[in-house]
Structures are given as C-alpha cells and as structure tokens.
C-alpha cells in the first residue's frame, strides 16, 4: 500500500514538474519572439557555386543560423541561362513561403537578353541586401600591370582581347566592361565579351588565360586578389575599395561609375503572413552582428531595402538595363 502511495506521489510530482517547465525555454535571439523561424526554408542560387549569388546565399544562411534566427537552411544551386532557369523555377513555386532566391542585376539583365518567360515582376520582392563594385582583374602572370596598359592593348585590337564576365548580356559583368569600352573610345559592338554562368566558372578561365581579363564583383574574388592569384587593375565604383591597392576607373581617366547589387525574392502568391515572416527574417538578419561583420569581410556595402520600395527599385533597374543596352547599341 505504501508503495502504491509512493508511486502516485512521484507521478504527481512529475506532472507538476512538466507544468512548471512547459515547452523548451525560449532564449533571447532564438527567432521565436520575432517570428523568424521558418522550418524547411530553402535558398535557391540561380548560378554555379562560387559566384556572387552563391556567396551571398550561403553567408546569409550561416549568419541567420549563427544568430539563432532560423535553423537548417538548405542552400541549393540551379544554374542556367544567366539565372533565368532559377527564376522560372521560382515563379512556378506559387505560394511556397519556404523558398527564396538570391539574385541581383544579372538576373534583371538575363531576363531581358534571354527573353525569359518570367521576369522579376512575377516574383515577391523581399529585400535588397548589398551593393558592391566590380573589379577588373587579370591572372598573376598577365603582361598587363596597370589598367592603362590593358586599355591601350584593348583599343588596338578589341576583338582579340576577350573579356570574361559572370553574367549574361545585360548583367553587371557585361554592362561594366561595355561602359568601360565606351569611355575608352572602343565601340561596344567590337568588344569580345565571353559570358560565364557566375564568377566561379569565370575564375578558372581568368587563371587559365582563356580570357585576357575578367570583370566580376569584389566579394567574389577578394580572397584570390589578396592571395596574389589575381592582379587587380581597377574598381568600377566611385571610390577605392578599402584594403585594396587599385584605382577607380575614373581616377584612371575613364568616365565610368558602376556598382552591382544583390537581393532576395520569393515566389508569387505568398500569403501576407508568409511574406511578412520572410521579410522579418531578413530585417533581423540585417540587424545582426554576424551579418554586419560579413559585410565588412566581403567588401559589401549595406544597401538594405525591403517590400514595395524594393519592388519599385526592381522595376527601375529593369528600365535602366533596357536604356543602357539601347544607348550602347546592343
């Protein structure tokens, strides 16, 4: 009888303990208070590993997890046609609040130049994250030591000096050298531009001297530049990049001021709650120490913009691409 009473008492104590403890304790920054936890979240990268979209997506996923905003984010690559294969897949995932795509100006241009069936107007804009300059680089054993030497040789035989870029025509790595050629007095139509599906593919061709020079985002090639594998000749933006010894194109005498940007879009047809939750995740990510450190480490400028303002920006960028291509006669 005493044993029965003891078991009953232990059962009551166990039940009381469960009530007191309740569900797992929530710690600050767990993502529960801010509603940023999205189980099963996937980030699509619409080009090959190693490119700017890939680095951005993997950095965002890791930083979000390190900051306890959400967990087990899957990052996968779906390359093709300058990002429009991924864009088409994204648009087909109507109402999927657990999918987001890393993208930027390259996808805007590719959608135009490839006459893609879907455009960014068909997506749900979530956030613009970064802005960065492009870099003009050559292999470490290239005969070109300065941007002036390269441009002089380029002017003599534009078609014989192929330039590689990690985006389709209309994308940033295409527009930057075209504007550079125009400023140097080279007809853009004479430029031998070789497109690659992201900076990862482009890198091998630069190092193997398959192209005379390459143009890509500073964050994509920062490690190779610092390691001495690539020689940096110039940057395309208005100011020098901190920590890198290279002039701007404007300093070198070429009237070019060009920057790229990257952001996140989601499928169409999301509920208001799904859209708000995804946006909130990136707002909290943007505010985190982890993300701010990544901005500095990758040479990215903070260009955070969300929702309708980002949607308006995407529309303006589409119009800008069309305008620049017409101006260049392309």
């Amino acid at each position: 009888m005493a044993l029965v009473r003891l078991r009953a008492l232990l059962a009551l104590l166990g039940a009381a303990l469960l009530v007191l403890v309740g569900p797992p304790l929530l710690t600050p920054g767990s993502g529960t208070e801010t509603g940023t936890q999205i189980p099963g979240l996937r980030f699509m990268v619409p080009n090959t590993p190693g490119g700017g979209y890939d680095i951005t997506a993997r950095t965002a996923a890791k930083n979000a997890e390190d900051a306890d905003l959400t967990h087990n984010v899957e990052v996968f690559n779906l390359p093709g046609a300058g990002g429009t294969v991924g864009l088409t897949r994204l648009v087909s995932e109507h109402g999927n609040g657990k999918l987001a795509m890393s993208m930027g100006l390259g996808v805007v241009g590719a959608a135009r130049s490839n006459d893609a069936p879907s455009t960014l107007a068909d997506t749900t804009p979530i956030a613009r994250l970064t802005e960065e300059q492009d870099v003009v680089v050559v292999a470490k054993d290239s005969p070109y030591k300065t941007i002036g030497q390269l441009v002089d040789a380029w002017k003599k035989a534009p078609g014989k000096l192929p330039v590689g870029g990690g985006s389709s025509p209309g994308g940033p790595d295409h527009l930057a050298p075209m504007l550079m050629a125009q400023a140097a007095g080279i007809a853009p139509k004479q430029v031998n531009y070789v497109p690659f599906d992201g900076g990862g593919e482009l890198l091998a061709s630069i190092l193997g001297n398959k192209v005379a020079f390459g143009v890509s985002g500073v964050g994509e090639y920062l490690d190779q530049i610092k390691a001495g594998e690539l020689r940096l000749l110039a940057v395309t933006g208005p100011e020098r990049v901190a920590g890198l010894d290279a002039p701007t194109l404007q300093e070198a005498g070429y009237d070019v001021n060009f920057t790229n940007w990257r952001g996140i879009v989601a499928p169409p047809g999301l509920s208001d709650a799904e859209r708000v939750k995804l946006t909130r995740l990136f707002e909290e990510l943007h505010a985190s120490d982890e993300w701010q450190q990544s901005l500095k480490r990758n040479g990215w400028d903070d260009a955070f913009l969300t929702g309708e303002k980002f949607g308006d920006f995407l529309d303006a960028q589409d119009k800008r691409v069309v305008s620049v291509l017409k101006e260049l006669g392309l």
Side-chain angles (χ1 to χ4, degrees), residues 7-325:
R7 286 177 177 168
L9 180 60
L10 288 174
L12 286 171
L13 285 171
L17 185 60
L18 285 173
V19 170
L20 287 171
V21 173
L25 292 176
L26 304 179
T27 57
S30 69
T32 309
E33 301 89 342
T34 54
T36 59
Q37 292 285 351
I38 306 176
L41 179 61
R42 307 175 79 210
F43 287 165
M44 184 199 303
V45 177
N47 62 12
T48 54
Y53 300 151
D54 188 68
I55 295 170
T56 302
R58 294 183 191 279
T59 300
K62 185 177 188 306
N63 288 171
E65 292 183 2
D66 289 347
D68 286 332
L69 297 174
T70 193
H71 296 284
N72 301 319
V73 181
E74 178 190 349
V75 180
F76 69 100
N77 298 77
L78 186 63
T84 56
V85 170
L87 176 61
T88 301
R89 162 72 179 277
L90 186 82
V91 172
S92 74
E93 294 273 350
H94 190 278
N96 185 352
K98 296 180 183 294
L99 180 65
M101 186 177 83
S102 173
M103 47 70 69
L105 181 56
V107 177
V108 178
R112 279 291 177 182
S113 61
N114 295 334
D115 195 23
S118 300
T119 72
L120 289 164
D122 299 317
T123 69
T124 300
I126 300 299
R128 185 182 69 187
L129 299 176
T130 64
E131 185 177 42
E132 71 171 341
Q133 303 197 39
D134 266 2
V135 291
V136 182
V137 293
V138 295
K140 63 181 179 182
D141 57 351
S142 167
Y144 309 115
K145 303 290 197 292
T146 67
I147 187 66
Q149 290 177 353
L150 172 64
V151 172
D152 285 345
W154 199 23
K155 289 169 73 172
K156 290 176 183 176
K160 292 183 179 179
L161 266 72
V163 50
S167 58
S168 296
D173 300 349
H174 171 251
L175 294 178
M178 292 301 169
L179 292 169
M180 181 176 151
Q182 185 185 52
I186 301 170
K189 286 186 176 180
Q190 291 184 301
V191 174
N192 181 6
Y193 177 74
V194 183
F196 294 84
D197 204 351
E201 285 190 358
L202 170 62
L203 178 61
S205 289
I206 301 173
L207 295 175
N209 292 305
K210 301 291 179 62
V211 294
F213 66 104
V215 177
S216 193
V218 61
E220 293 180 69
Y221 293 160
L222 197 57
D223 290 343
Q224 289 79 10
I225 292 169
K226 290 184 176 179
E229 296 174 11
L230 293 176
R231 181 183 299 143
L232 175 60
L233 301 184
V235 297
T236 64
E239 298 177 354
R240 291 191 176 211
V241 175
L244 296 180
D245 183 20
T248 66
L249 287 173
Q250 289 181 327
E251 280 182 74
Y254 310 104
D255 188 17
V256 177
N257 179 355
F258 182 87
T259 56
N260 186 20
W261 55 269
R262 295 191 179 94
I264 300 290
V265 293
L270 299 193
S271 68
D272 287 344
E274 289 172 324
R275 177 182 50 77
V276 167
K277 196 165 192 177
L278 262 175
T279 303
R280 188 180 295 129
L281 170 62
F282 283 95
E283 287 173 343
E284 293 295 322
L285 173 66
H286 173 252
S288 71
D289 291 339
E290 288 82 358
W291 179 254
Q292 293 302 316
Q293 290 168 11
S294 291
L295 290 176
K296 294 177 183 177
R297 185 167 54 250
N298 289 294
W300 296 335
D301 293 324
D302 191 354
F304 195 65
L305 192 68
T306 61
E308 289 185 9
K309 290 183 179 180
F310 181 38
D312 292 342
F313 172 80
L314 289 177
D315 183 57
Q317 287 290 287
D318 183 55
K319 291 181 171 66
R320 176 194 177 204
V321 165
V322 172
S323 174
V324 171
L325 289 175

